[in-house]
Amino acid sequence: MSQRECQRLLGEFRANLEAFYAEMKLAPPYDSVEKTIRCLDSLLKARTTEEQTQVFSDHALRRQLHVQAIIDSGLQKKHRGIIAGLVRTDAFEQFPESLRYLLEPFRS
């Protein structure tokens, strides 16, 4: 995977995290978000070229890697009570489908 493709994936992840926190009307924990993006970068670089290509072309694999970066970086510990509460309410039904996967690390 080229540096450009890697930056595109990191940018996509950053945009998803920003939209995720905006949807909940929470200020993102900026230092933790940056740590999570660095973690995703490390997770990508630890993969073989073939695995990186698969991640780049497979939306489900990218989402799995995003979730792993959230867990590995500890981001799921920030605003945990607020976000876990959202999952248990009707507000979750209003949450955009494209961002719901980011709620998974906050459930456990």
Side-chain angles (χ1 to χ4, degrees):
M1 177 179 344
S2 72
Q3 182 66 21
R4 186 176 184 190
E5 291 169 328
C6 185
Q7 289 304 314
R8 187 174 134 206
L9 289 177
L10 295 175
E12 172 189 281
F13 184 48
R14 179 185 301 280
N16 284 353
L17 287 174
E18 289 172 358
F20 176 75
Y21 281 100
E23 189 65 35
M24 290 182 290
K25 297 174 181 42
L26 292 173
Y30 294 106
D31 290 340
S32 297
V33 166
E34 291 305 316
K35 181 180 176 184
T36 303
I37 291 168
R38 286 190 306 272
C39 183
L40 178 62
D41 188 39
S42 295
L43 289 169
L44 283 169
K45 289 178 179 173
R47 292 187 161 31
T48 66
T49 303
E50 182 179 311
E51 290 170 332
Q52 289 176 353
T53 301
Q54 288 173 340
V55 167
F56 189 73
S57 63
D58 187 324
H59 193 64
L61 285 176
R62 279 198 309 276
R63 285 183 170 196
Q64 287 175 353
L65 207 56
H66 291 176
V67 168
Q68 184 179 351
I70 289 170
I71 293 168
D72 290 357
S73 70
L75 182 64
Q76 85 283 5
K77 296 175 184 171
K78 306 291 181 174
H79 298 302
R80 183 180 187 91
I82 295 168
I83 297 170
L86 170 70
V87 173
R88 293 188 295 268
T89 68
D90 291 339
F92 177 71
E93 297 303 320
Q94 309 293 319
F95 208 76
E97 183 68 36
S98 63
L99 300 174
R100 285 187 187 183
Y101 78 99
L102 294 172
L103 290 168
E104 289 304 315
F106 296 90
R107 290 179 189 248
S108 51

